[in-house]
Amino acid sequence: MIPVNRQGEVWVFAEQEDGQLQEVALELCGKARQLADQLAVPVGAVLVGDQVAGLADRLIAHGADHVYLVEDPRLAQYQTLPYARAVCQLIEKYHPQIVLYGATPLGRDLAPRIASYLRAGMTADCTDLRIEDVLEARTQQLHPKLLLQVRPAFGGNIIATIVNYDGWPQMATVREGVMPLLPPDTNRRGQILRQQVELDETLFVVRLLERHSEPRKVNLKGARIIVAGGAGVGSKENFRLIYELAGVVGGAVGASRAAVDSGFIGKEHQIGQTGTTVRPALYIACGISGAVQHRAGMEESAKIVAINIDPEAPIFSIAHYGIVGDLKQVIPMMIKAIRQRR
């Protein structure tokens, strides 16, 4: 366990693949910058791989003060054991007080391994991070400026706030898209600190023989327009209306958890606390009641249009425009009107 170090930096694990930074790493750099400013400490980014030094400037532009660079030809492809050992050695050397990872498949594999080795706490799939003073109920001791790690629990039915008093560093994985990607500042200056780590050959017990990857079929985060369907769509067959409207307006197709659980559409389309967080220019919610779990994933959309047969549906409380009616009648009328205008 690393000792409590209130002057320690706020770190981000800068996930990259094939020499390309994952967007969540840049999102976390912006959030780390906000947290570090409250703590009056620098931001560090840990960059591990082979021939990845060229990525450091982007991390600095997005908020990092120090980039801790570990390069080794054996680290060209991600492997749990050597990557975990490299990050653990850096944490033991520099004692950061906060370490953030993206809640990606890689981050969900790496972060628990590091937490177990360091005997530190780790909160998974956070949707918000804050710095606040915390009064420990058992001892009545005031802990200044702790990291509040906010995440959905019990299937998204409640929101839990988790704090770590003494099992430092305070660590969390953060879901993609929940932190806004702040614009880069190319005038920022930072340091690239090359690091030497000891990686025994016994760590490389896995050999990569072949590698196959598929691009994402749905890019909800990058869509400027999203048409989303909920349980009110009624069936998988009725979802063709959602696809048709999305095609007419040039948007992506999203869904609520209720629609996914009902088998109307695949989970990759799910929006909300347990899905993807989106901020499109236009969000059209069709047959979505507006449960708090869904609203948390889309309420920052620039414009929200809601279609629901229930005039009391919670979605209308955040919608800029609301249509009370049966979506099976409303959507064909919308499609016809859009096509006529074109």
Side-chain angles (χ1 to χ4, degrees):
M1 185 179 296
I2 302 298
V4 172
N5 177 18
R6 297 196 175 276
Q7 299 305 311
E9 297 180 351
V10 177
W11 278 14
V12 171
F13 176 74
E15 182 179 336
Q16 58 82 25
E17 184 177 5
D18 295 333
Q20 298 293 322
L21 281 171
Q22 299 299 299
E23 192 169 281
V24 68
L26 302 178
E27 295 169 358
L28 290 179
C29 280
K31 186 61 179 181
R33 179 76 270 159
Q34 296 173 1
L35 299 174
D37 288 344
Q38 290 180 262
L39 296 167
V41 299
V43 172
V46 178
L47 181 58
V48 181
D50 181 39
Q51 299 182 8
V52 292
L55 304 178
D57 288 341
R58 288 191 70 195
L59 295 168
I60 292 170
H62 280 273
D65 298 302
H66 303 136
V67 176
Y68 298 92
L69 178 64
V70 178
E71 288 189 309
D72 190 309
R74 297 173 296 175
L75 299 174
Q77 301 295 334
Y78 172 75
Q79 292 189 45
T80 306
L81 294 179
Y83 266 62
R85 180 64 59 84
V87 177
C88 285
Q89 288 185 30
L90 296 184
I91 292 174
E92 290 176 324
K93 180 179 179 181
Y94 291 102
H95 296 181
Q97 60 177 300
I98 295 172
V99 184
L100 305 178
Y101 311 80
T104 61
L106 188 154
R108 287 173 172 147
D109 178 67
L110 179 66
R113 178 79 60 157
I114 294 171
S116 176
Y117 179 84
L118 297 174
R119 300 177 63 83
M122 198 276 293
T123 303
D125 291 345
C126 291
T127 57
D128 193 15
L129 300 169
R130 301 192 300 270
I131 299 293
E132 291 184 15
D133 296 341
V134 176
L135 181 65
E136 188 176 356
R138 181 175 59 86
T139 64
Q140 292 299 299
Q141 179 182 356
L142 182 65
H143 298 270
K145 294 185 176 180
L146 285 184
L147 178 68
L148 271 59
Q149 302 153 65
V150 182
R151 58 150 297 163
F154 294 100
N157 292 313
I158 67 169
I159 301 297
T161 300
I162 300 169
V163 294
N164 185 346
Y165 299 116
D166 51 12
W168 284 29
Q170 304 165 94
M171 296 203 298
T173 63
V174 181
R175 286 179 37 210
E176 298 178 83
V178 299
M179 305 300 174
L181 179 61
L182 302 179
D185 179 1
T186 55
N187 294 320
R188 290 195 80 255
R189 294 292 177 264
Q191 289 182 290
I192 301 174
L193 305 173
R194 292 185 176 272
Q195 304 294 310
Q196 297 295 325
V197 296
E198 297 181 8
L199 300 175
D200 191 273
E201 286 300 323
T202 59
L203 297 171
F204 297 89
V205 294
V206 176
R207 179 175 296 175
L208 181 65
L209 300 179
E210 291 185 25
R211 185 164 171 261
H212 301 273
S213 61
E214 293 184 8
R216 288 187 179 183
K217 297 179 181 178
V218 183
N219 183 16
L220 291 172
K221 284 178 59 180
R224 285 187 50 78
I225 300 174
I226 294 176
V227 182
V233 176
S235 68
K236 188 174 183 178
E237 291 71 29
N238 288 344
F239 240 87
R240 63 178 177 76
L241 289 172
I242 307 299
Y243 278 96
E244 191 173 353
L245 178 57
V248 169
V249 299
V253 174
S256 68
R257 177 175 175 174
V260 171
D261 289 348
S262 298
F264 298 165
I265 195 169
K267 186 173 173 59
E268 64 273 15
H269 294 270
Q270 184 172 321
I271 293 170
Q273 278 184 347
T274 51
T276 303
T277 299
V278 298
R279 297 178 177 84
L282 174 61
Y283 189 90
I284 305 175
C286 308
I288 295 175
S289 64
V292 63
Q293 294 88 350
H294 184 77
R295 298 203 307 267
M298 46 68 70
E299 61 187 354
E300 292 189 25
S301 303
K303 283 290 182 289
I304 300 171
V305 176
I307 305 170
N308 202 290
I309 200 168
D310 179 9
E312 302 298 323
I315 192 69
F316 288 124
S317 67
I318 62 168
H320 299 91
Y321 303 97
I323 302 173
V324 178
D326 186 343
L327 64 87
K328 292 187 288 294
Q329 296 176 354
V330 173
I331 292 179
M333 294 170 64
M334 292 178 66
I335 293 171
K336 181 179 179 181
I338 293 169
R339 285 175 172 165
Q340 286 178 343
R341 290 196 62 179
R342 288 181 176 175

